[in-house]
Amino acid sequence: MNYKNIEVKKTTIKLVYTSMLIAISLIGSLIKIQGSIALDSMAGFFSALFLGPAYGALVASIGHILTAFTSGFPLTLPIHIIITLQMGLFAYIFGVVYRKSNGILASIIAIILNGIGAVLILVPVTTWLKLPLHGWTFFYAMVGPLSLTSAVNVVLAYIIYKSIENKFSIR
């Protein structure tokens, strides 16, 4: 088997895993904590470790859109588009930090970004859009549940990845 065939096989395997992880993300999107806060991003954070940061960004982004869709876009479509971009970025950063440093640091950064940073970014946006829950009221209402759910998603992704890390190698 030549190099090109090996690369095609790896790409096909990654696409199949990505599809399966998006399906898992859909299942997680149905396990809601509050509004559109759910267990959808665990698959995205796992993908960032297992398949690579770009795949993690893709799965996390699609995962959030699925959660927003199954929740009826409670924060409006523009806010959920921003959150979708945030989720992709945070999963990507998680994967990069893990590769360059370690899982503990990557997990801490991902939890802070997703739990606090995401809501901080939305404070002026929710105020500008004049949502019923906006500004600092929005921040205080969301930061606790989002931080807790972020911790659950990130820690579960990390634990699952570490438990299979040496059993599967597709990179």
Side-chain angles (χ1 to χ4, degrees):
M1 184 180 281
N2 66 27
Y3 177 75
K4 185 176 181 179
N5 289 339
I6 292 170
E7 285 304 310
V8 168
K9 185 177 178 182
K10 278 185 174 182
T11 302
T12 302
I13 290 169
K14 283 186 173 187
L15 288 173
V16 170
Y17 276 132
T18 301
S19 299
M20 290 175 19
L21 287 161
I22 289 170
I24 290 169
S25 190
L26 173 61
I27 293 166
S29 77
L30 300 173
I31 305 169
K32 297 195 182 3
I33 307 304
Q34 174 184 320
S36 65
I37 299 173
L39 298 182
D40 59 340
S41 64
M42 186 279 293
F45 288 118
F46 174 81
S47 296
L49 301 177
F50 185 62
L51 300 172
Y55 289 93
L58 176 66
V59 173
S61 295
I62 292 172
H64 178 73
I65 279 296
L66 291 170
T67 297
F69 180 77
T70 61
S71 302
F73 295 97
L75 298 174
T76 73
L77 183 59
I79 296 288
H80 284 291
I81 290 171
I82 293 169
I83 296 169
T84 297
L85 296 172
Q86 288 176 338
M87 290 307 306
L89 178 63
F90 300 157
Y92 185 85
I93 291 169
F94 177 63
V96 169
V97 173
Y98 177 82
R99 287 185 174 183
K100 293 184 183 253
S101 182
N102 63 62
I104 303 298
L105 181 61
S107 296
I108 291 168
I109 289 171
I111 292 166
I112 291 170
L113 284 173
N114 193 31
I116 299 170
V119 186
L120 274 175
I121 291 168
L122 293 175
V123 166
V125 179
T126 58
T127 302
W128 180 69
L129 289 174
K130 295 184 173 87
L131 296 180
L133 187 62
H134 64 275
W136 290 107
T137 305
F138 174 80
F139 177 84
Y140 293 123
M142 300 299 280
V143 73
L146 187 57
S147 294
L148 176 64
T149 307
S150 297
V152 169
N153 280 311
V154 170
V155 170
L156 275 176
Y158 179 66
I159 289 170
I160 293 168
Y161 176 71
K162 291 307 278 183
S163 70
I164 68 162
E165 179 180 29
N166 296 323
K167 295 173 181 66
F168 296 93
S169 178
I170 57 170
R171 282 193 241 168

